[in-house]
């Protein structure tokens, strides 16, 4: 019990929350109120895509330890004390698949707090979208708690994932990661008309045709022309040069600003 004299008719809680100094409140809070609240563990998970030969690929790991040993999982892990989510993503990608990840290629996707989603206890995850160029495939290397790095095909038309031609089911995934992947598909498709971040899936330099092929893969039912592509995303890209394709006209090369 605190030594302060609480005015008659006022509860201790009311006094420290409203009338005491912030320093006095925080001292009281850490001794009295904070222990009443459960503290979840917080993780980050990354839905890390790349675009290869007009197909969407997703980087997963096969877990080498419990829980969900040998199941497929998104790249991710627990946040360290004092760490923000974006930097936790950078660290986990480096630790688990040995990639250096620029912050601009990390986009927060969804926070998932479903009770019972982790058999170890109450765990909240902050899931992120990560856009990687296809050269990342040659750089990945399993580490930390990853048994191996697995690249799966994602069909954005059906929302299904495939490994070596076999459709993956919910039981093939750790935790609720298949649901998070399907959420990412809907998010990308919903934002594609106004958010150019998906263009990070292309190489640093690309043509309009490259962009159209990517849009067709992400939104198979969407119709997009060269003119409409430049109208929608012209403010986010800039010309960097030209290339000549045999028996075709000179093609303009772009990059994201």
């Amino acid at each position: 019990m605190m030594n302060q004299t609480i005015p008659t008719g006022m509860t201790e809680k009311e006094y420290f929350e409203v009338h005491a100094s912030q320093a006095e409140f925080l001292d009281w809070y850490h001794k009295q109120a904070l222990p009443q609240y459960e503290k979840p563990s917080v993780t980050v998970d990354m839905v890390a895509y790349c675009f290869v030969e007009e197909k969407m690929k997703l980087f997963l790991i096969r877990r080498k330890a419990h829980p969900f040993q040998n199941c497929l999982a998104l790249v991710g892990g627990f946040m360290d004390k004092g760490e923000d989510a974006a930097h936790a993503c950078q660290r986990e990608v480096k630790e688990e698949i040995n990639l250096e990840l620029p912050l601009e290629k990390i986009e927060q996707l969804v926070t998932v707090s479903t009770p019972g989603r982790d058999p170890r206890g109450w765990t909240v995850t902050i899931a992120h979208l990560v856009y990687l160029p296809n050269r990342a495939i040659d750089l990945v290397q399993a580490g930390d708690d990853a048994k191996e790095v697995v690249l799966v095909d994602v069909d954005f038309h059906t929302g299904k994932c495939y490994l070596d031609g076999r459709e993956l089911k919910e039981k093939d995934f750790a935790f609720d990661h298949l649901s998070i992947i399907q959420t990412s598909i809907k998010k990308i498709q919903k934002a594609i008309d106004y958010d150019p971040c998906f263009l990070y899936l292309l190489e640093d330099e690309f043509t309009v045709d490259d962009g159209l092929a990517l849009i067709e893969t992400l939104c198979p039912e969407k119709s997009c022309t060269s003119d409409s592509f430049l109208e929608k995303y012209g403010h986010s890209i800039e010309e960097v040069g030209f290339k000549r394709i045999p028996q075709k006209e000179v093609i303009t090369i772009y990059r994201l600003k």
Side-chain angles (χ1 to χ4, degrees):
M1 184 72 179
M2 311 296 292
N3 294 325
Q4 284 84 347
T5 301
I6 309 299
T8 303
M10 184 180 297
T11 66
E12 179 181 302
K13 181 175 186 292
E14 181 183 1
Y15 172 77
F16 283 103
E17 286 187 341
V18 179
H19 300 283
S21 68
Q22 179 167 294
E24 290 173 329
F25 163 74
L26 291 174
D27 181 62
W28 171 85
Y29 180 81
H30 285 110
K31 293 176 180 177
Q32 304 294 323
L34 186 60
Q36 299 178 24
Y37 298 103
E38 291 291 335
K39 302 174 187 63
S41 299
V42 182
T43 63
V44 291
D45 285 304
M46 283 144 284
V47 189
Y49 287 113
C50 66
F51 184 53
V52 183
E53 296 178 352
E54 300 189 4
K55 290 185 178 181
M56 288 298 294
K57 305 282 187 176
L58 176 64
F59 286 97
L60 299 174
I61 64 164
R62 192 175 297 281
R63 291 179 59 84
K64 67 181 179 183
H66 294 297
F68 298 104
Q69 188 178 43
N70 295 319
C71 287
L72 298 172
L74 297 170
V75 177
F78 289 98
M79 291 177 60
D80 288 341
K81 185 175 181 179
E83 186 177 45
D84 69 37
H87 287 93
C89 288
Q90 284 186 311
R91 176 180 54 77
E92 286 292 340
V93 166
K94 179 62 177 176
E95 290 176 357
E96 292 203 339
I97 60 174
N98 195 38
L99 288 181
E100 301 287 348
L101 185 61
L103 286 175
E104 66 267 19
K105 294 191 177 182
I106 304 172
E107 177 185 341
Q108 194 166 131
L109 172 63
V110 65
T111 298
V112 186
S113 56
T114 309
R117 61 177 301 274
D118 188 332
R120 294 169 294 191
W122 185 17
T123 305
V124 175
T125 193
I126 306 171
H128 294 74
L129 275 172
V130 176
Y131 303 103
L132 298 171
N134 62 31
R135 62 178 179 273
I137 293 175
D138 299 323
L139 303 174
V140 296
Q141 181 179 348
D144 200 19
D145 61 351
K147 185 175 182 179
E148 63 175 328
V149 180
V150 179
L151 202 62
V152 304
D153 294 311
V154 182
D155 186 333
F156 269 58
H157 180 66
T158 63
K160 296 178 179 180
C161 299
Y162 296 86
L163 179 59
D164 298 328
R166 179 179 71 86
E167 181 184 342
L168 296 171
K169 303 295 185 181
E170 187 174 1
K171 64 180 178 62
D172 294 310
F173 291 86
F175 309 103
D176 47 10
H177 287 185
L178 178 58
S179 175
I180 293 174
I181 293 166
Q182 291 170 338
T183 297
S184 76
I185 294 172
K186 295 175 183 176
K187 169 70 179 295
I188 292 172
Q189 291 177 332
K190 184 177 181 180
I192 200 167
D193 281 336
Y194 62 84
D195 186 351
C197 285
F198 73 96
L199 294 173
Y200 279 121
L201 288 163
L202 300 175
E203 295 303 302
D204 294 336
E205 297 183 352
F206 56 87
T207 67
V208 169
D209 286 344
D210 295 330
L212 293 176
L214 176 57
I215 291 173
E216 184 177 356
T217 301
L218 296 174
C219 296
E221 299 178 358
K222 181 176 290 293
S223 175
C224 189
T225 65
S226 297
D227 289 342
S228 61
F229 179 90
L230 291 173
E231 182 178 350
K232 287 180 181 178
Y233 310 113
H235 63 285
S236 300
I237 62 178
E238 60 186 2
E239 295 183 11
V240 293
F242 304 91
K243 69 177 181 179
R244 183 179 297 278
I245 299 177
Q247 300 179 346
K248 288 188 177 182
E249 60 185 20
V250 173
I251 305 296
T252 306
I253 302 172
Y254 297 90
R255 68 181 175 197
L256 280 169
K257 292 182 180 178

mmCIF file of all heavy atoms in Angstrom, residues 85-104:
data_model
loop_
_atom_site.group_PDB
_atom_site.id
_atom_site.type_symbol
_atom_site.label_atom_id
_atom_site.label_comp_id
_atom_site.label_asym_id
_atom_site.label_seq_id
_atom_site.Cartn_x
_atom_site.Cartn_y
_atom_site.Cartn_z
ATOM 1 N N ALA A 85 8.637 -3.689 -34.815
ATOM 2 C CA ALA A 85 8.259 -4.816 -35.671
ATOM 3 C C ALA A 85 9.053 -4.851 -36.973
ATOM 4 O O ALA A 85 9.476 -5.919 -37.429
ATOM 5 C CB ALA A 85 6.759 -4.767 -35.957
ATOM 6 N N ALA A 86 9.250 -3.688 -37.602
ATOM 7 C CA ALA A 86 9.955 -3.665 -38.886
ATOM 8 C C ALA A 86 11.388 -4.167 -38.743
ATOM 9 O O ALA A 86 11.883 -4.930 -39.574
ATOM 10 C CB ALA A 86 9.929 -2.263 -39.488
ATOM 11 N N HIS A 87 12.067 -3.732 -37.685
ATOM 12 C CA HIS A 87 13.443 -4.174 -37.487
ATOM 13 C C HIS A 87 13.492 -5.651 -37.069
ATOM 14 O O HIS A 87 14.460 -6.356 -37.379
ATOM 15 C CB HIS A 87 14.143 -3.289 -36.461
ATOM 16 C CG HIS A 87 14.472 -1.931 -36.989
ATOM 17 N ND1 HIS A 87 13.642 -0.852 -36.844
ATOM 18 C CD2 HIS A 87 15.539 -1.481 -37.701
ATOM 19 C CE1 HIS A 87 14.170 0.209 -37.431
ATOM 20 N NE2 HIS A 87 15.326 -0.142 -37.955
ATOM 21 N N ALA A 88 12.454 -6.121 -36.398
ATOM 22 C CA ALA A 88 12.375 -7.548 -36.095
ATOM 23 C C ALA A 88 12.261 -8.355 -37.386
ATOM 24 O O ALA A 88 12.855 -9.430 -37.512
ATOM 25 C CB ALA A 88 11.189 -7.833 -35.181
ATOM 26 N N CYS A 89 11.513 -7.825 -38.362
ATOM 27 C CA CYS A 89 11.419 -8.490 -39.671
ATOM 28 C C CYS A 89 12.792 -8.578 -40.324
ATOM 29 O O CYS A 89 13.174 -9.639 -40.837
ATOM 30 C CB CYS A 89 10.468 -7.719 -40.584
ATOM 31 S SG CYS A 89 8.726 -7.838 -40.148
ATOM 32 N N GLN A 90 13.516 -7.469 -40.319
ATOM 33 C CA GLN A 90 14.857 -7.482 -40.907
ATOM 34 C C GLN A 90 15.741 -8.534 -40.252
ATOM 35 O O GLN A 90 16.444 -9.287 -40.925
ATOM 36 C CB GLN A 90 15.504 -6.106 -40.753
ATOM 37 C CG GLN A 90 15.001 -5.043 -41.700
ATOM 38 C CD GLN A 90 15.803 -3.762 -41.560
ATOM 39 O OE1 GLN A 90 16.024 -3.274 -40.458
ATOM 40 N NE2 GLN A 90 16.233 -3.213 -42.680
ATOM 41 N N ARG A 91 15.709 -8.573 -38.936
ATOM 42 C CA ARG A 91 16.566 -9.510 -38.207
ATOM 43 C C ARG A 91 16.176 -10.957 -38.488
ATOM 44 O O ARG A 91 17.026 -11.810 -38.743
ATOM 45 C CB ARG A 91 16.476 -9.226 -36.701
ATOM 46 C CG ARG A 91 17.247 -10.213 -35.842
ATOM 47 C CD ARG A 91 17.141 -9.890 -34.372
ATOM 48 N NE ARG A 91 15.771 -9.782 -33.926
ATOM 49 C CZ ARG A 91 14.965 -10.830 -33.700
ATOM 50 N NH1 ARG A 91 15.405 -12.076 -33.903
ATOM 51 N NH2 ARG A 91 13.718 -10.649 -33.280
ATOM 52 N N GLU A 92 14.870 -11.248 -38.470
ATOM 53 C CA GLU A 92 14.429 -12.624 -38.675
ATOM 54 C C GLU A 92 14.724 -13.116 -40.098
ATOM 55 O O GLU A 92 15.091 -14.268 -40.298
ATOM 56 C CB GLU A 92 12.935 -12.746 -38.371
ATOM 57 C CG GLU A 92 12.595 -12.701 -36.890
ATOM 58 C CD GLU A 92 13.102 -13.929 -36.151
ATOM 59 O OE1 GLU A 92 13.373 -14.956 -36.791
ATOM 60 O OE2 GLU A 92 13.230 -13.862 -34.912
ATOM 61 N N VAL A 93 14.554 -12.242 -41.088
ATOM 62 C CA VAL A 93 14.871 -12.642 -42.465
ATOM 63 C C VAL A 93 16.357 -12.956 -42.604
ATOM 64 O O VAL A 93 16.749 -13.906 -43.285
ATOM 65 C CB VAL A 93 14.438 -11.539 -43.457
ATOM 66 C CG1 VAL A 93 15.056 -11.759 -44.822
ATOM 67 C CG2 VAL A 93 12.925 -11.505 -43.580
ATOM 68 N N LYS A 94 17.182 -12.165 -41.930
ATOM 69 C CA LYS A 94 18.622 -12.422 -41.969
ATOM 70 C C LYS A 94 18.954 -13.736 -41.261
ATOM 71 O O LYS A 94 19.749 -14.553 -41.753
ATOM 72 C CB LYS A 94 19.369 -11.260 -41.320
ATOM 73 C CG LYS A 94 20.899 -11.433 -41.294
ATOM 74 C CD LYS A 94 21.480 -11.520 -42.693
ATOM 75 C CE LYS A 94 22.986 -11.628 -42.653
ATOM 76 N NZ LYS A 94 23.567 -11.803 -44.006
ATOM 77 N N GLU A 95 18.343 -13.969 -40.107
ATOM 78 C CA GLU A 95 18.644 -15.164 -39.326
ATOM 79 C C GLU A 95 18.115 -16.438 -39.967
ATOM 80 O O GLU A 95 18.776 -17.479 -39.921
ATOM 81 C CB GLU A 95 18.060 -15.034 -37.913
ATOM 82 C CG GLU A 95 18.751 -14.001 -37.041
ATOM 83 C CD GLU A 95 18.093 -13.840 -35.693
ATOM 84 O OE1 GLU A 95 17.054 -14.502 -35.441
ATOM 85 O OE2 GLU A 95 18.612 -13.054 -34.875
ATOM 86 N N GLU A 96 16.928 -16.362 -40.575
ATOM 87 C CA GLU A 96 16.278 -17.585 -41.037
ATOM 88 C C GLU A 96 16.573 -17.932 -42.487
ATOM 89 O O GLU A 96 16.643 -19.115 -42.825
ATOM 90 C CB GLU A 96 14.764 -17.497 -40.809
ATOM 91 C CG GLU A 96 14.391 -17.515 -39.335
ATOM 92 C CD GLU A 96 12.967 -17.978 -39.102
ATOM 93 O OE1 GLU A 96 12.151 -17.907 -40.035
ATOM 94 O OE2 GLU A 96 12.671 -18.413 -37.971
ATOM 95 N N ILE A 97 16.709 -16.923 -43.361
ATOM 96 C CA ILE A 97 16.980 -17.260 -44.766
ATOM 97 C C ILE A 97 18.151 -16.461 -45.344
ATOM 98 O O ILE A 97 18.375 -16.470 -46.551
ATOM 99 C CB ILE A 97 15.721 -17.098 -45.650
ATOM 100 C CG1 ILE A 97 15.194 -15.663 -45.634
ATOM 101 C CG2 ILE A 97 14.631 -18.062 -45.199
ATOM 102 C CD1 ILE A 97 14.032 -15.453 -46.610
ATOM 103 N N ASN A 98 18.882 -15.737 -44.484
ATOM 104 C CA ASN A 98 20.139 -15.097 -44.869
ATOM 105 C C ASN A 98 19.978 -14.035 -45.955
ATOM 106 O O ASN A 98 20.798 -13.919 -46.868
ATOM 107 C CB ASN A 98 21.165 -16.152 -45.330
ATOM 108 C CG ASN A 98 22.574 -15.595 -45.388
ATOM 109 O OD1 ASN A 98 22.961 -14.802 -44.540
ATOM 110 N ND2 ASN A 98 23.329 -16.007 -46.381
ATOM 111 N N LEU A 99 18.917 -13.217 -45.836
ATOM 112 C CA LEU A 99 18.718 -12.123 -46.783
ATOM 113 C C LEU A 99 18.751 -10.787 -46.058
ATOM 114 O O LEU A 99 18.235 -10.661 -44.944
ATOM 115 C CB LEU A 99 17.370 -12.262 -47.497
ATOM 116 C CG LEU A 99 17.220 -13.366 -48.533
ATOM 117 C CD1 LEU A 99 15.821 -13.325 -49.134
ATOM 118 C CD2 LEU A 99 18.259 -13.263 -49.629
ATOM 119 N N GLU A 100 19.368 -9.795 -46.696
ATOM 120 C CA GLU A 100 19.318 -8.433 -46.206
ATOM 121 C C GLU A 100 18.050 -7.788 -46.765
ATOM 122 O O GLU A 100 17.831 -7.768 -47.974
ATOM 123 C CB GLU A 100 20.549 -7.643 -46.664
ATOM 124 C CG GLU A 100 21.880 -8.234 -46.202
ATOM 125 C CD GLU A 100 22.136 -8.034 -44.721
ATOM 126 O OE1 GLU A 100 21.399 -7.235 -44.090
ATOM 127 O OE2 GLU A 100 23.065 -8.673 -44.189
ATOM 128 N N LEU A 101 17.204 -7.259 -45.881
ATOM 129 C CA LEU A 101 15.898 -6.777 -46.298
ATOM 130 C C LEU A 101 15.751 -5.279 -46.047
ATOM 131 O O LEU A 101 15.742 -4.843 -44.890
ATOM 132 C CB LEU A 101 14.810 -7.532 -45.522
ATOM 133 C CG LEU A 101 13.363 -7.264 -45.906
ATOM 134 C CD1 LEU A 101 13.117 -7.645 -47.360
ATOM 135 C CD2 LEU A 101 12.435 -8.054 -44.990
ATOM 136 N N PRO A 102 15.632 -4.457 -47.109
ATOM 137 C CA PRO A 102 15.425 -3.014 -46.923
ATOM 138 C C PRO A 102 14.059 -2.739 -46.292
ATOM 139 O O PRO A 102 13.072 -3.424 -46.586
ATOM 140 C CB PRO A 102 15.477 -2.458 -48.356
ATOM 141 C CG PRO A 102 16.116 -3.532 -49.173
ATOM 142 C CD PRO A 102 15.741 -4.824 -48.529
ATOM 143 N N LEU A 103 13.980 -1.734 -45.448
ATOM 144 C CA LEU A 103 12.733 -1.429 -44.756
ATOM 145 C C LEU A 103 11.605 -1.076 -45.722
ATOM 146 O O LEU A 103 10.433 -1.353 -45.452
ATOM 147 C CB LEU A 103 12.958 -0.269 -43.774
ATOM 148 C CG LEU A 103 13.725 -0.600 -42.493
ATOM 149 C CD1 LEU A 103 13.961 0.666 -41.687
ATOM 150 C CD2 LEU A 103 12.989 -1.632 -41.657
ATOM 151 N N GLU A 104 11.937 -0.455 -46.872
ATOM 152 C CA GLU A 104 10.884 -0.039 -47.788
ATOM 153 C C GLU A 104 10.180 -1.219 -48.447
ATOM 154 O O GLU A 104 9.125 -1.060 -49.061
ATOM 155 C CB GLU A 104 11.425 0.911 -48.860
ATOM 156 C CG GLU A 104 12.419 0.292 -49.831
ATOM 157 C CD GLU A 104 13.853 0.495 -49.381
ATOM 158 O OE1 GLU A 104 14.074 0.788 -48.185
ATOM 159 O OE2 GLU A 104 14.757 0.351 -50.222
#
